[in-house]
Amino acid sequence: AWINALTAAVNEWNALPYNVTFVMTVAADNSNPGGVVNVFVDNTGWGGSNIATTNLPSSAEAFGNRIMINSAYTDTPLTVSAKKFSMAHELAHVVGLQHTDNVNGSDVAASISCYGSTSYTDAGSILKASIVYNEPWAGFTICDLTVFDYYW
């Protein structure tokens, strides 16, 4: 069901009015020809609590080159909708977006729109660092779209 979730997430991203378009092809291995983001399932060695990880872009105007789905994930059985949410989150990292609910030096400034006066206010954002993956996909939130608008 990961391919279905990825396809659905790609379709959501491609429906946005920005200059980012994902095209899916199926490959037999996880090598990385230039300009391609490979998505593959692997036992990443982090145990069962992380669903996936992404290589961030290595430089400005580049894309991350891999999304690795953790085959050892065991915390909660995932619905197709939760997998779609996870893939939409990882695709955000592919284009260089960081977590919006984490204000350390490496993440996007959360003050763009995601924080109220003292706490995080957009629980459904795909860009949160800690996502409740069993929630159904509800689309991109106001926070997500504000961050996208800021960068594109």
Side-chain angles (χ1 to χ4, degrees):
W2 279 108
I3 191 74
N4 296 336
L6 178 60
T7 300
V10 163
N11 290 339
E12 294 286 348
W13 271 97
N14 288 346
L16 293 172
Y18 304 106
N19 292 325
V20 175
T21 302
F22 294 98
V23 177
M24 289 186 52
T25 60
V26 177
D29 61 34
N30 65 2
S31 62
N32 184 39
V36 173
V37 178
N38 282 294
V39 180
F40 60 97
V41 177
D42 192 18
N43 184 344
T44 60
W46 352 287
S49 63
N50 293 312
I51 294 174
T53 188
T54 300
N55 289 3
L56 294 169
S58 58
S59 62
E61 299 184 22
F63 288 100
N65 63 0
R66 291 177 187 230
I67 297 174
M68 296 163 279
I69 300 166
N70 185 4
S71 63
Y73 176 78
T74 57
D75 278 7
T76 306
L78 296 173
T79 64
V80 172
S81 182
K83 289 179 180 182
K84 176 181 175 180
F85 196 102
S86 178
M87 290 296 92
H89 174 94
E90 297 305 330
L91 288 170
H93 288 321
V94 163
V95 296
L97 299 177
Q98 301 279 339
H99 298 139
T100 52
D101 61 339
N102 190 347
V103 291
N104 69 39
S106 66
D107 286 359
V108 167
S111 61
I112 291 171
S113 74
C114 302
Y115 271 81
S117 59
T118 59
S119 65
Y120 189 73
T121 59
D122 192 356
S125 173
I126 65 154
L127 295 168
K128 288 187 348 178
S130 298
I131 297 172
V132 178
Y133 286 102
N134 59 357
E135 291 182 10
W137 169 262
F140 297 104
T141 67
I142 295 297
C143 174
D144 297 330
L145 297 174
T146 301
V147 171
F148 303 159
D149 285 341
Y150 179 83
Y151 286 101
W152 292 303

